[in-house]
Amino acid sequence: MAVKRLLVDVHTHVYLPRYANLLRTRTSVPRIVERERPGAQGVTEERLVILEDEPISGRPIGSQYWDRTEKLKFMDLHGIDLSIVSSANPWLDFLPAPSACELASALNTDLDEYCASAPTLADTALRRLYGFGLLPLALGVTPNALLDAVKQVAALPHLRGIILGTRGIGSGLDDELLEPMWEALAETDLVVFLHPHYGVDKKAFGERDNGHVLPLALGFPFETTIAATRLILSGVLDRHPNLRLLLAHSGGALAQLSSRLASCIAHDPVAATRLEHDARHYLGRLYYDAVVYGCEELGFVSDVISRSTGYANLKASAKDSAEAVDRAFGSKRMLFGTDHPFFPPLSETEKWKSVVENLEAIEGVQGWSEGDKAGVRGGNALELFGLKP
Amino acid sequence: MAVKRLLVDVHTHVYLPRYANLLRTRTSVPRIVERERPGAQGVTEERLVILEDEPISGRPIGSQYWDRTEKLKFMDLHGIDLSIVSSANPWLDFLPAPSACELASALNTDLDEYCASAPTLADTALRRLYGFGLLPLALGVTPNALLDAVKQVAALPHLRGIILGTRGIGSGLDDELLEPMWEALAETDLVVFLHPHYGVDKKAFGERDNGHVLPLALGFPFETTIAATRLILSGVLDRHPNLRLLLAHSGGALAQLSSRLASCIAHDPVAATRLEHDARHYLGRLYYDAVVYGCEELGFVSDVISRSTGYANLKASAKDSAEAVDRAFGSKRMLFGTDHPFFPPLSETEKWKSVVENLEAIEGVQGWSEGDKAGVRGGNALELFGLKP
């Protein structure tokens, strides 16, 4: 079936021109700075500095971060039919509330237009680009402003979700003040893409120069894991079972730590009786991108989703889950992604190593049928985002 | 075979009386405080406070933390034949160097005696208790003092390894000053048990009261993951392939983040060419306790160990690993543990929920034969620790 054969990228970022321009005017992180290219006197280049702890040199940034033509070229090179594009971190976290509200609204309109005017997908009524909008999540933003933004995004035809970081309006996503936002999001079809930015305190990474490895490889997934766990513990998933939450990087370490989490909850007098289900149950309510670069990781996340049905009650044990683990079941909640334009190859190659690896990983999962793999590559995304070719 | 049927606990802690007495004299963390039992006027109880961020109430502590009779009772209750006992965190981290050296030496002798005078294991020449000693890892300790301690532990007949935290002598385990220690440890048969204590900065856990759940369920495994990754990145495993490193809680999130780690290294100009192997290869050189409370987690860690042979070179990809994944292979590096006396049941039960779950998890792993499971329950430990019944 043609539908099943599409390759859909759900994790691919853009700094829209309006946002990049703002970063160029800034004198503190996040910012875009212009510097002389090392070893090329008189030639300047733009560098992106988004992390507090990052060296001022940041990382190279160029048209692939904002130019739609570059996005489409990248898609063509890798056979990606359709992308659900999202603003990259750190979104609007650093702005005062009024600017965040104004910019969120403008960027949502920009992104809808970016998608609306994109080429159509051959033989379908679809465009090749859809998007995740932004909410004005910044310090001091009111619940009503968030609700207005949810309404705006839900009404823009090419936006099919929102992307958010983990800070909320200053106190994280388990903040009681965000309850109306979760309620509103659960009433829409919007997919909520949870994405890291801050990592964890860099002191944990020591004094050796390991480049960006530790904050990216560990800090990012740790942050997502903590945020998702705090959401579970706060009861947001109990109160809003219809919320469609997509976790970046396959949820970080959530899958591997989920039985430990269930055990720690069961042994803690403060938390033991708070939730409706064993912690492992909630992992079956979530969606996971397939950005993990390894087939064993994908298969494992799939198992953990599959077993969740066996953990519906608080007294469930490994014995109850054993029958529930049909790896194919979990694949339905997993979706291909690239993390473009991050992780560009260090040397010139035809295709990007990071993309090839994620595709090889899907191909290599033991226990997934060709149909399951086609679902992860695109079919699941079309269904989740309501995109009927 | 009788040998294969033994149940061996490699993750079980003690606060030796000498150490507990020290904690009682202290006025700052870590300490043991005596307080009135809530709801029982005039009745006092001891509480253990080991984390900087922990409420002063800490957690209840009693004879199960130091009394060998209690340890043996716990073992009998759960059918544990033999335990490799280790001091609990935070070891000697908080002491000035001279006290750390003195106490390490005394505690090592104490622990050897604790084991030497334990009952023998029926029909064997073995005792029921063996131990992990301590090195005086504290700020300002000299490499020579560490080498002396390695020699002491290696010479004590019932000590078969050392346990250590992640701080080293102040700058973590990737500290160049620790190189002689790694070299000395690699030349012995001692197993190095890497165990967390500090977690990550508690700010990441937000303001809601979730008891001890987040630091224990996430912070602990994150810390172990970071420490193991820093060891890999520093080249310690390249330089000392014979080092026998056992990771607590199955290595935390190391397995799930290992392909991402490999990808981040390959894409980072600082780190890309530093190591001899793809990062995933090193996971096959490590040992993992089986303290994860879920069969899918155990199976996954086993897969990740198994695939490591396919990642011997830096250009390996998912395609190379696919053939290497024989889940049984990985089981040889996994070892049952309980984390006793932590995670006691909240209500009175015959057996501890935490122990039952870890045993059920081993039983439930798909793709492990009965022989593989027997190995994880005890056979692998007997071999690793050189204990021939």
Side-chain angles (χ1 to χ4, degrees), chain B residues 252-319:
Chain B
L254 186 65
Q256 201 183 351
L257 301 180
S258 56
S259 287
R260 181 172 173 87
L261 175 63
S263 180
C264 287
I265 291 174
H267 286 85
D268 195 288
V270 173
T273 58
R274 186 194 292 171
L275 299 178
E276 288 179 18
H277 307 285
D278 182 286
R280 285 164 280 201
H281 183 67
Y282 301 98
L283 276 74
R285 299 235 188 121
L286 304 170
Y287 297 85
Y288 302 79
D289 74 24
V291 184
V292 286
Y293 313 97
C295 31
E296 291 77 19
E297 287 85 346
L298 288 177
F300 171 61
V301 171
S302 190
D303 283 348
V304 164
I305 299 168
S306 300
R307 78 177 177 192
S308 67
T309 52
Y311 286 105
N313 78 70
L314 283 172
K315 303 233 177 265
S317 80
K319 282 182 182 162

Side-chain angles (χ1 to χ4, degrees), chain A residues 174 210 212 274 296 307, chain B residues 208 210 268 274 296 307:
Chain A
D174 55 2
N210 292 309
H212 286 86
R274 186 194 291 172
E296 291 76 20
R307 78 176 176 191
Chain B
R208 277 183 183 253
N210 293 310
D268 195 288
R274 186 194 292 171
E296 291 77 19
R307 78 177 177 192

Side-chain angles (χ1 to χ4, degrees), chain A residues 2 108 112 156 164 182 222 251 257 262 322 363 383:
Chain A
N108 288 333
D112 189 63
L156 286 167
L164 45 70
W182 297 119
F222 289 171
L257 301 180
E363 183 58 39
E383 194 166 319

Side-chain angles (χ1 to χ4, degrees), chain A residues 170-171 174-176 199-201 203-214 216-218 220-223 225-226 229-230 233-234 239 249-261 263-272 274 280 291-297 300-301 303-304 307 311 314 316-319 321-322 325 327 339 343-346 353-354 357 360-361 364 366, chain B residues 170-171 174-176 199-201 203-214 216-218 220-223 225-226 229-230 233-234 239 249-261 263-272 274 280 291-297 300-301 303-304 307 311 314 316-319 321-322 325 327 339 343-346 353-354 357 360-361 364 366:
Chain A
S171 302
D174 55 2
D175 187 338
E176 285 178 14
V200 293
D201 185 11
K203 281 202 297 287
F205 297 138
E207 292 151 25
R208 278 183 183 253
D209 181 10
N210 292 309
H212 286 86
V213 172
L214 291 167
L216 280 181
L218 306 185
F220 261 38
F222 289 171
E223 180 187 357
T225 308
I226 294 170
T229 304
R230 286 173 57 181
L233 284 168
S234 73
R239 290 191 295 279
H249 317 114
S250 271
L254 186 65
Q256 201 183 350
L257 301 180
S258 56
S259 288
R260 181 172 174 86
L261 175 63
S263 179
C264 287
I265 291 174
H267 287 85
D268 196 287
V270 173
R274 186 194 291 172
R280 285 165 280 201
V291 184
V292 286
Y293 313 96
C295 30
E296 291 76 20
E297 286 85 345
F300 171 60
V301 171
D303 283 347
V304 164
R307 78 176 176 191
Y311 286 106
L314 285 171
S317 81
K319 282 185 183 160
S321 89
V325 177
R327 184 170 274 194
D339 225 341
F343 298 92
L346 280 188
K353 176 180 163 71
S354 53
E357 283 179 339
E360 281 184 2
Q366 301 292 320
Chain B
S171 302
D174 54 4
D175 188 337
E176 285 178 14
V200 294
D201 185 9
K203 282 203 295 289
F205 297 138
E207 292 152 23
R208 277 183 183 253
D209 181 11
N210 293 310
H212 286 86
V213 171
L214 291 166
L216 280 182
L218 306 185
F220 260 38
F222 289 171
E223 181 187 357
T225 308
I226 294 170
T229 304
R230 286 172 58 180
L233 284 168
S234 72
R239 290 190 295 280
H249 316 115
S250 271
L254 186 65
Q256 201 183 351
L257 301 180
S258 56
S259 287
R260 181 172 173 87
L261 175 63
S263 180
C264 287
I265 291 174
H267 286 85
D268 195 288
V270 173
R274 186 194 292 171
R280 285 164 280 201
V291 184
V292 286
Y293 313 97
C295 31
E296 291 77 19
E297 287 85 346
F300 171 61
V301 171
D303 283 348
V304 164
R307 78 177 177 192
Y311 286 105
L314 283 172
S317 80
K319 282 182 182 162
S321 87
V325 177
R327 183 168 277 192
D339 226 340
F343 297 92
L346 281 188
K353 175 180 165 69
S354 53
E357 283 178 340
E360 281 185 2
Q366 301 290 321

Side-chain angles (χ1 to χ4, degrees), chain A residues 131-384:
Chain A
F132 290 97
L134 288 174
L135 304 185
L137 288 160
L139 204 64
V141 165
T142 64
N144 277 341
L146 295 174
L147 298 184
D148 288 345
V150 172
K151 275 185 210 148
Q152 183 208 16
V153 174
L156 286 167
H158 300 86
L159 301 192
R160 300 300 170 106
I162 59 135
I163 184 166
L164 45 70
T166 67
R167 285 233 171 142
I169 54 175
S171 302
L173 298 179
D174 55 2
D175 187 338
E176 285 178 14
L177 293 172
L178 295 180
E179 186 60 18
M181 177 190 81
W182 297 119
E183 194 178 342
L185 287 166
E187 284 171 4
T188 68
D189 283 335
L190 296 172
V191 176
V192 180
F193 186 14
L194 176 59
H195 193 287
H197 170 69
Y198 299 96
V200 293
D201 185 11
K202 70 156 181 174
K203 281 202 297 287
F205 297 138
E207 292 151 25
R208 278 183 183 253
D209 181 10
N210 292 309
H212 286 86
V213 172
L214 291 167
L216 280 181
L218 306 185
F220 261 38
F222 289 171
E223 180 187 357
T224 307
T225 308
I226 294 170
T229 304
R230 286 173 57 181
L231 277 177
I232 292 170
L233 284 168
S234 73
V236 163
L237 300 186
D238 276 333
R239 290 191 295 279
H240 308 294
N242 294 328
L243 197 61
R244 305 162 97 200
L245 201 58
L246 169 65
L247 302 183
H249 317 114
S250 271
L254 186 65
Q256 201 183 350
L257 301 180
S258 56
S259 288
R260 181 172 174 86
L261 175 63
S263 179
C264 287
I265 291 174
H267 287 85
D268 196 287
V270 173
T273 58
R274 186 194 291 172
L275 299 177
E276 287 178 17
H277 307 284
D278 182 287
R280 285 165 280 201
H281 183 66
Y282 300 98
L283 276 75
R285 299 237 187 119
L286 304 170
Y287 297 87
Y288 302 79
D289 74 24
V291 184
V292 286
Y293 313 96
C295 30
E296 291 76 20
E297 286 85 345
L298 288 177
F300 171 60
V301 171
S302 192
D303 283 347
V304 164
I305 299 168
S306 300
R307 78 176 176 191
S308 67
T309 52
Y311 286 106
N313 78 69
L314 285 171
K315 303 234 178 265
S317 81
K319 282 185 183 160
D320 301 297
S321 89
E323 289 173 35
V325 177
D326 161 19
R327 184 170 274 194
F329 179 85
S331 74
K332 309 288 179 243
R333 288 178 171 266
M334 302 181 67
L335 309 98
F336 171 71
T338 63
D339 225 341
H340 181 260
F342 299 100
F343 298 92
L346 280 188
S347 56
E348 288 300 321
T349 54
E350 198 210 342
K351 294 190 177 182
W352 288 28
K353 176 180 163 71
S354 53
V355 180
V356 171
E357 283 179 339
N358 277 322
L359 285 170
E360 281 184 2
I362 294 169
E363 183 58 39
V365 175
Q366 301 292 320
W368 279 358
S369 68
E370 282 310 310
D372 297 330
K373 292 174 190 174
V376 176
R377 289 193 201 102
N380 301 342
L382 296 178
E383 194 166 319
L384 180 63

